[in-house]
Amino acid sequence: MYIKTLTVSALNNYIKRIIDSDIILNNVSIKGEISNFKLHSSGHMYFSLKDDLSKINCVMFKDRARSVNFAIEEGMKVEIKGRVGTYTKEGSYQLYCDEIKKEGLGDLYQAFLKLKDELKLKGLMEEEHKKPLPPYPRRIGVITSSTGAAIRDIINVSKRRNNSMSLLIYPSLVQGKDASENIIKGIKALNKIKDIDVIILARGGGSIEELWAFNDEKLAYAIFNSKVPIVTGVGHETDFTIADFVSDRRAPTPSAAAEIVVPSLENLNNEVDSINSILKDRILNILKENKFQLDLLKRNLDYNSPKNYLINEYENLIRLKQSLNTSILRKIDYEKNKINNLNSLLMAHNPLNILNKGYAIIKNEEKVITSKEEFNETMDINIVLKDGEISGTFISK
């Protein structure tokens, strides 16, 4: 049998013609659950419609999207009318939506909300149980896929912020039935390493099915019981999982988780420079204040110096000495004058002066004889004249 060789474009165009000519595919009504919903800035809606076994990508252009009168939410059950078409550039097919009717929340999303409420009632999401993140971690544990974009983003951000930061990667499944158990083993393993300061649990974005491993109850308890603080960076900014609510800090993306955990070396250096500048200013201010106080104390010390006191007292001593000498001289002069006066008075009344007038003094060995009755018949006497004494013996006749 001859087989014609086609180009890729020819094959995709052939498939497109088959699908476009199919009556059923051009007018279908499908029930399913909304997943991975995105509202583009252009007004177009992009999402997936899924059930338990399969999913199909969907697009609803702006002119049709205007007719939707309710907010489309993740996990919502809907009934969609539209047509199946091909996107030949990518070789894919998708559902082009004309109408959307709401049926309710999907089973997975309902299970998510139920588990969230249960764990919240048990206190696993309370702020008081959340462990503080270390401001300057030395070693960071990372649990994620070794081949995904998340690990590359975390490494790039970490190197940019602090090239000396140490990362320990624990490769783990982040999607599928064994992913939750794999992640739990990673948390336990990193908790046994003493120098791990914080753990990043991360994966890239995806639908609710792809992120379902992070909505596991056992994983929630493993995060809650971890002695090492855990930061989650799961999916995109609009994606929330049970792990995010239980973790010590939720980041909108893996890159943001690295931004939160890894301190910026530049910021640290700026902070150190700022603190150093503040410290220098404070030291200078303290030195200035202490110098001022020292100068003040020195002035007080100089003012009250014993040296000045001694100098003043020495001067007082000289004055006292002079005053004393003056007083002594005055006293001596006074006493001399007094003595001279007494001497003059004494000389004036000196009985010896009368001898100059021709008188004499008669004495015996005991006393001056002033009466004749004192003379014995014979006695030794002295006669004091003005120019000397004469000794002799008195004989009575």
Side-chain angles (χ1 to χ4, degrees):
M1 180 179 179
Y2 174 73
I3 299 177
K4 183 180 179 181
T5 302
L6 303 174
T7 63
V8 174
S9 298
L11 177 61
N12 285 341
N13 286 324
Y14 178 74
I15 295 172
K16 182 179 186 312
R17 286 195 300 271
I18 293 175
I19 292 177
D20 288 346
S21 62
D22 189 284
I23 298 175
I24 295 176
L25 296 180
N26 273 275
N27 188 16
V28 295
S29 180
I30 305 174
K31 291 194 300 184
E33 184 177 313
I34 295 289
S35 176
N36 205 23
F37 176 81
K38 298 291 185 301
L39 177 61
H40 197 270
S41 59
S42 63
H44 304 325
M45 295 180 181
Y46 299 94
F47 55 93
S48 298
L49 194 65
K50 64 180 182 63
D51 56 20
D52 295 338
L53 301 176
S54 186
K55 72 174 183 178
I56 183 173
N57 292 330
C58 305
V59 60
M60 190 173 197
F61 294 120
K62 180 173 65 174
D63 57 338
R64 299 288 187 178
R66 290 172 179 167
S67 64
V68 180
N69 57 6
F70 58 89
I72 297 178
E73 299 177 354
E74 193 77 14
M76 179 180 289
K77 283 186 176 180
V78 295
E79 180 179 337
I80 297 177
K81 289 183 179 182
R83 65 180 180 85
V84 177
T86 58
Y87 183 44
T88 56
K89 186 176 180 180
E90 296 291 335
S92 63
Y93 72 91
Q94 57 190 356
L95 180 63
Y96 293 87
C97 306
D98 294 327
E99 297 180 11
I100 299 179
K101 294 181 180 179
K102 181 170 60 173
E103 282 197 353
L105 293 177
D107 294 336
L108 284 180
Y109 194 66
Q110 285 180 334
F112 165 80
L113 294 178
K114 180 181 179 183
L115 180 59
K116 179 185 173 184
D117 291 339
E118 290 176 356
L119 296 179
K120 188 173 183 179
L121 287 174
K122 293 179 180 179
L124 271 69
M125 301 177 188
E126 293 298 328
E127 194 67 30
E128 62 187 56
H129 297 309
K130 297 188 182 297
K131 297 173 283 295
L133 303 184
Y136 310 110
R138 294 168 296 177
R139 199 177 189 196
I140 300 169
V142 181
I143 302 175
T144 189
S145 171
S146 59
T147 59
I151 188 61
R152 294 194 298 272
D153 292 342
I154 290 172
I155 292 174
N156 291 337
V157 171
S158 298
K159 286 184 176 180
R160 173 174 55 80
R161 290 179 64 81
N162 192 336
N163 196 33
S164 62
M165 186 61 61
S166 174
L167 298 178
L168 179 60
I169 311 299
Y170 185 93
S172 173
L173 297 173
V174 290
Q175 183 175 336
K177 65 176 183 178
D178 296 326
S180 297
E181 190 63 33
N182 214 215
I183 295 170
I184 292 171
K185 288 179 181 179
I187 293 174
K188 292 180 178 179
L190 293 180
N191 267 264
K192 292 178 181 178
I193 301 175
K194 292 183 179 179
D195 62 347
I196 296 295
D197 297 311
V198 62
I199 296 172
I200 295 176
L201 176 57
R203 71 146 285 161
S207 64
I208 189 171
E209 301 85 14
E210 294 168 333
L211 302 179
W212 193 250
F214 295 88
N215 293 322
D216 183 78
E217 183 175 3
K218 292 181 180 179
L219 176 58
Y221 276 99
I223 294 172
F224 181 78
N225 294 323
S226 173
K227 294 180 181 179
V228 180
I230 295 178
V231 176
T232 53
V234 179
H236 299 301
E237 190 169 354
T238 57
D239 296 322
F240 283 87
T241 65
I242 296 298
D244 292 319
F245 291 109
V246 180
S247 67
D248 300 294
R249 181 79 176 270
R250 183 249 177 189
T253 63
S255 298
E259 294 275 355
I260 291 171
V261 171
V262 180
S264 170
L265 187 59
E266 182 181 359
N267 291 342
L268 289 177
N269 289 333
N270 292 337
E271 185 177 350
V272 169
D273 291 341
S274 177
I275 292 174
N276 186 46
S277 177
I278 293 172
L279 185 60
K280 285 183 178 179
D281 290 341
R282 290 184 179 178
I283 290 174
L284 289 175
N285 290 335
I286 291 173
L287 289 176
K288 289 180 181 179
E289 178 63 25
N290 287 344
K291 185 178 183 302
F292 174 78
Q293 294 296 331
L294 187 62
D295 292 341
L296 181 62
L297 291 173
K298 186 177 183 301
R299 287 196 296 271
N300 290 336
L301 182 62
D302 292 340
Y303 180 78
N304 298 286
S305 172
K307 181 179 179 181
N308 294 334
Y309 176 77
L310 290 175
I311 291 173
N312 293 333
E313 291 303 311
Y314 181 75
E315 293 176 353
N316 289 335
L317 183 63
I318 292 174
R319 288 194 295 270
L320 289 173
K321 181 180 179 181
Q322 292 173 347
S323 176
L324 181 60
N325 287 336
T326 301
S327 298
I328 290 174
L329 291 175
R330 287 177 181 175
K331 182 66 174 176
I332 290 173
D333 290 341
Y334 174 78
E335 294 298 330
K336 280 184 178 180
N337 292 331
K338 187 176 179 181
I339 290 173
N340 290 332
N341 292 333
L342 290 173
N343 184 58
S344 298
L345 183 62
L346 180 62
M347 294 301 294
H349 294 83
N350 188 349
L352 296 178
N353 289 337
I354 202 170
L355 297 179
N356 294 324
K357 297 179 179 182
Y359 294 96
I361 298 173
I362 301 172
K363 301 186 294 181
N364 60 12
E365 295 179 353
E366 298 178 354
K367 62 180 181 177
V368 174
I369 297 173
T370 60
S371 175
K372 66 179 183 176
E373 283 80 9
E374 296 179 12
F375 284 93
N376 296 325
E377 291 182 359
T378 302
M379 58 184 304
D380 293 328
I381 59 173
N382 288 326
I383 298 173
V384 180
L385 300 172
K386 70 175 184 179
D387 53 357
E389 292 184 7
I390 299 175
S391 299
T393 300
F394 174 76
I395 299 175
S396 176
K397 293 183 178 181

